[in-house]
Amino acid sequence: MTDWRNQRGHQGPRRQRNARERNGHDLTVYEAEGRRADRARDPHERYEGHGLPGRRRGRPRRRPPRGVRTVAGQVFALQLGVVLLLVVAAVVALVLQSRYDSEREARNRSMAVAESFANAPGMAAAMRGADPTAALQPLAERARKGSGVDFVVAMSPHGIRYTHPNVNRIGKHFMGSIDAAVKGRTVTETFTGTLGLSVRSVVPVLDQRGKVVGLVSAGITIKKVSGAANHQLPLLFFAAAAALSLATVGTALVTGRLRRQTHGLDPAEMTRMYEHHDAVLHAVREGVLIVSGDGRLVLANDEARRLFALPPDAEGRLVAELGFDPHTAELLVSGRPATDEVHTAGERLLSVSHRPTDRNGGPPGSVATLRDTTELRALTGKVDLARNRLKLLYDAGVSIGTTLDVVRTAQELAEYAVARFADYVSVDLADSVLRGEEPQEGAAGTTGGGGSADGRPTPLRRTALSGIRDDVPLYPLGKLIRFTPNAPQAQGFRTGAVTVVPVLSDHGGWQEQDPDQAQKIVDSGIHSMITVPLRARGVVLGVASFMRAEKPEPFEEDDVSLAEELVTRAAVSIDNARRYTREHTMAVTLQRSLLPRVLPEQNALDVAYRYLPAESGVGGDWFDVIPLPGARVALVVGDVVGHGLHAAATMGRLRTAVHNFSTLDLPPDEILSHLDDLIARIDQDEGHSAVADGDGGGEVIIGATCLYAIYDPVTRRCTMARAGHPPPAVVSPDGTVELLKDLPVGPPLGLGGLPFETAELELPEGSHLVLYTDGLIEKRDRDIETGMEMLGDALAHPGRTPEETCTAVLGALLPERPSDDVALIVARTRVLEPGRIADWEVPSDPAQVSEMRAAVARKLAEWELGDVAFTTELILSELITNAIRYATGPIRVRLLCDRSLICEVSDTSSTSPHLRYAATTDEGGRGLFLVSQFADRWGTRYTAEGKVIWTEQTLPLPKNGKPRP
């Protein structure tokens, strides 16, 4: 472009003025643009002429290379293309015509030869002769050579050759079609043989009666009759060369003429300049309108045409006729300068700048630039849309994942999306996710890593469903859906990719699942769907499907990104809930494994229990029922402070310790003291572990509460002690409820420093002893006193069984979502019948041992236990003898016939006998050894008066074979 301006500058002022007069304002615009470009390139360059850019003095003028972009080159290229097209068309037509003529000539020649040979005199007689080949072979060869065909074959009506140029083929079957010839008609067909494309004709040979006695076939290759095109092609090529020569001469003449008309400017340069300026003019995003001095539109670029919807013939017409807004039309013809005036064009808002062109000697008229400010409003709308989208996602973060529950979180996603994004939403998860586990199959990167790529269906369970109506035929909640491999849900679960189905009726993959169901869904109005996999930590947990019915527009790419954002947030919450469910299930499983699964058999109490873990995590609540010697039963309820696996593990240690201490048959206060020491040692161990692990060495406080009660069905007395635990409740047979608030309460276990006290009370037969943890009566919005009053009201109903009492209490006091564990024991007291108790006081005289054995034998006979009389007499003899020998004071003997036969010998001594093994030379020391051998269990318990040595023996079955009550 610079060279062109320099050349124009070198031509002189007069030529430039003539060019401006001929070309109008267009060159003025180009000159101004060229001046700005030249100044930008070389600010020190001097120019010649009246403001037109000129070339630097002494610099030789360069001409750009010529090419097809010049006008002459384009004309030459066009002429060359036309000539070549005509030559190719002529050659193709000539070849096709030649081929058609050759084939027609071949058909005519083969038919003529075949008919002539078939109708030759004596042909029918030769066909019927004894040796047709000897008579016809020479004739056929002469006819073939004379006519120029490739073969003349005479054959029988069955197609057996009599003649052939190759004598080896005589007597073989003819390969062509003869069915029509056998019926008296002629046949001509084209075939490809060993010599190439050929034509053959088959003619029947008739006798005098018109009967076909033989057939004659003649064939010829098409290339033998072709060759006309070979003679015409040189003439065609000579004509093409002449046309090209004329085109070259014409191009040279046009080039010279153009150089003269453009005053030495190269046409290629003018073409390049025009194309560049035209491209710039129409590529800018601002509209340009040039109006002449008489109010006619001279030029309008593409953007201006688009903004004002101008017709194709707008140039040259008056501005008033083009449908501009009156305010805009007035500005365009007024010549008034304007900057960024706001005008309207239909629904668009334009910023218009207007300047006259007659300044500095330019042509009369004006130029206007237009800028569409509607885009700014659209951009503002996009900003609002983005802000609304951010708010939507923020609200989703608040509304989805409010609980650590997988099903609830999925339902929150469905309900939230229906209210703001889609008409129907379903969430399908793998069953393993609902159990707190990772899916066994899914997208790459998951544990399964394969999904149903092998063609197997993908089973997902419908976990959440929400929509604007309830009558849509979607799969119901809880249904296990086996999606086919081509279903979007299966593909999303397998590959982790989002699937968009803009028009459901056109997509076949999801219809393979259940065509009838799919048709019902389409008929209900659902027309578009997005399926997004629920992915978290690289694991696909399931898929969420968004569907539209009421909204007519299908889902688009913007909807896909929004759906992915929603599902991503929900997937994190669902994965957190899944992991919580897994951990919670593990902790609950651990805790339940540490709790009693089956209550031990005993006759002192009729026991029912309930244990409910907290919703937010397992705690340290526990309970136990422990049979004790003497038909007694111990009831234990405890609560470890805190939640989680640590509390559950501590609870298991305490429960084991309680069992161990109970075997010593200690009173409740001493058992609590031992538990208190154990908690202190656990605290000390945990503190040392914290120091070793570098956690700062702070003390790890483990607190616990406990209530330990022992019920004796013989005396109906209940002995209990508690360490910081809520008081038990006693329900009399008439329904009177007494909360034992006066029961002495010691400090929680682990604090130490204070003793524990034991209290005794006598319970009527049929009373209910209720033990519980604070999770039953305590609640955030309810104090303990209110809870205990509610507990008393729930218990004040006579005639209930322990099971019914447990159900009533939990229904009245338990919240919907308990924040703490709840352990509850309801025990109805029983009394051992007096007839099953035998009690004697034995004087401290060895002579009384025989009388005692006789009395015991009589009582066992009365109880129908004669089978164990000898063993029992032996056991009591040893125990009474030891008591007389080593103890002082009165000696008492008691027999209890319960689930086992219990023998008790009590004295005032606190010295406990020890089992030892006597040597062969020892005269004594075998008494307790014999007792341990004959009794199932034996032991010692201490009382306020001394001690009791007891044994237990299994009762034999009665004579009727039924177990004893």
Side-chain angles (χ1 to χ4, degrees), residues 644-667:
L645 294 176
H646 184 65
T650 304
M651 174 269 292
R653 298 168 71 177
L654 289 179
R655 179 170 178 257
T656 303
V658 169
H659 270 271
N660 293 333
F661 295 148
S662 297
T663 58
L664 301 176
D665 210 349
L666 300 176

Side-chain angles (χ1 to χ4, degrees), residues 164-178:
H164 196 276
N166 187 354
V167 296
N168 293 329
R169 297 186 180 182
I170 297 175
K172 296 182 180 181
H173 198 280
F174 183 68
M175 301 303 296
S177 300
I178 63 174

Side-chain angles (χ1 to χ4, degrees), residues 510-728:
W510 74 281
Q511 297 175 356
E512 296 177 2
Q513 175 71 29
D514 189 342
D516 296 336
Q517 180 81 2
Q519 187 60 43
K520 292 179 182 178
I521 293 175
V522 173
D523 294 341
S524 67
I526 298 178
H527 59 82
S528 185
M529 180 174 66
I530 298 178
T531 301
V532 184
L534 287 151
R535 181 193 294 272
R537 299 183 301 105
V539 177
V540 178
L541 309 174
V543 292
S545 301
F546 303 87
M547 292 159 278
R548 279 184 177 174
E550 297 294 332
K551 299 176 183 178
E553 62 274 6
F555 285 112
E556 300 175 348
E557 291 300 325
D558 292 341
D559 299 322
V560 173
S561 60
L562 180 57
E564 287 181 313
E565 289 284 350
L566 287 175
V567 171
T568 299
R569 293 173 181 264
V572 173
S573 299
I574 290 176
D575 185 60
N576 291 337
R578 176 192 65 81
R579 298 173 67 184
Y580 167 78
T581 300
R582 181 186 61 189
E583 299 297 332
H584 183 69
T585 302
M586 291 174 57
V588 169
T589 303
L590 172 62
Q591 187 177 33
R592 290 191 180 276
S593 67
L594 298 175
L595 293 172
R597 298 184 180 180
V598 179
L599 295 181
E601 296 181 354
Q602 46 81 31
N603 290 339
L605 297 170
D606 184 8
V607 181
Y609 68 93
R610 295 289 189 274
Y611 172 76
L612 298 175
E615 181 177 336
S616 59
V618 297
D621 291 14
W622 93 92
F623 66 93
D624 221 329
V625 178
I626 305 173
L628 298 177
R632 298 168 303 147
V633 175
L635 300 177
V636 189
V637 173
D639 184 5
V640 176
V641 176
H643 293 82
L645 294 176
H646 184 65
T650 304
M651 174 269 292
R653 298 168 71 177
L654 289 179
R655 179 170 178 257
T656 303
V658 169
H659 270 271
N660 293 333
F661 295 148
S662 297
T663 58
L664 301 176
D665 210 349
L666 300 176
D669 56 340
E670 293 187 23
I671 288 182
L672 293 182
S673 297
H674 287 297
L675 292 178
D676 186 57
D677 295 338
L678 176 63
I679 291 293
R681 287 195 297 272
I682 293 176
D683 284 346
Q684 186 177 6
D685 293 342
E686 294 290 343
H688 291 165
S689 298
V691 173
D693 295 340
D695 294 339
E699 293 186 357
V700 180
I701 303 298
I702 300 177
T705 65
C706 184
L707 173 61
Y708 192 95
I710 299 176
Y711 175 71
D712 188 347
V714 178
T715 62
R716 294 186 290 109
R717 300 194 65 80
C718 182
T719 306
M720 60 184 69
R722 58 176 177 150
H725 202 81

Side-chain angles (χ1 to χ4, degrees), residues 211-229:
K211 182 179 179 181
V212 177
V213 296
L215 304 174
V216 175
S217 175
I220 188 172
T221 56
I222 295 178
K223 64 181 180 180
K224 282 189 176 183
V225 296
S226 62

Side-chain angles (χ1 to χ4, degrees), residues 313-525:
D313 58 345
E315 282 85 357
R317 297 174 58 182
L318 293 174
V319 172
E321 300 176 354
L322 297 177
F324 288 102
D325 180 81
H327 183 51
T328 305
E330 185 273 331
L331 175 64
L332 294 177
V333 298
S334 65
R336 173 175 58 86
T339 301
D340 292 334
E341 283 191 5
V342 178
H343 293 256
T344 59
E347 296 181 355
R348 296 183 178 274
L349 204 62
L350 306 180
S351 176
V352 181
S353 296
H354 187 254
R355 294 290 185 274
T357 59
D358 55 358
R359 296 179 180 180
N360 301 324
S366 62
V367 58
T369 58
L370 319 167
R371 197 166 56 249
D372 188 1
T373 59
T374 310
E375 302 294 337
L376 296 178
R377 290 195 297 175
L379 182 60
T380 304
K382 291 182 179 179
V383 172
D384 294 338
L385 181 62
R387 183 167 54 249
N388 293 335
R389 179 173 177 176
L390 289 176
K391 185 177 183 303
L392 179 66
L393 295 176
Y394 172 78
D395 294 340
V398 176
S399 302
I400 300 174
T402 59
T403 62
L404 288 174
D405 183 82
V406 173
V407 177
R408 180 57 190 164
T409 303
Q411 189 63 31
E412 288 173 350
L413 169 63
E415 293 174 355
Y416 184 84
V418 166
R420 296 166 178 83
F421 177 64
D423 295 327
Y424 298 93
V425 179
S426 65
V427 180
D428 305 314
L429 301 177
D431 273 346
S432 56
V433 175
L434 298 176
R435 296 192 300 268
E437 305 169 2
E438 290 190 355
Q440 297 301 315
E441 54 185 21
T446 65
T447 56
S452 56
D454 56 356
R456 294 181 293 106
T458 300
L460 297 175
R461 192 169 297 278
R462 180 58 51 87
T463 308
L465 179 64
S466 183
I468 57 177
R469 297 199 317 268
D470 297 333
D471 57 346
V472 177
L474 297 174
Y475 289 115
L477 280 175
K479 180 178 178 60
L480 183 63
I481 309 170
R482 301 185 180 276
F483 291 102
T484 58
N486 292 329
Q489 291 82 357
Q491 293 177 357
F493 186 71
R494 183 175 67 251
T495 65
V498 179
T499 302
V500 182
V501 187
V503 182
L504 280 178
S505 58
D506 296 342
H507 185 73
W510 74 281
Q511 297 175 356
E512 296 177 2
Q513 175 71 29
D514 189 342
D516 296 336
Q517 180 81 2
Q519 187 60 43
K520 292 179 182 178
I521 293 175
V522 173
D523 294 341
S524 67

Side-chain angles (χ1 to χ4, degrees), residues 49-60:
H50 299 279
L52 290 175
R55 62 182 176 87
R56 188 176 297 173
R57 296 180 183 274
R59 177 181 296 178

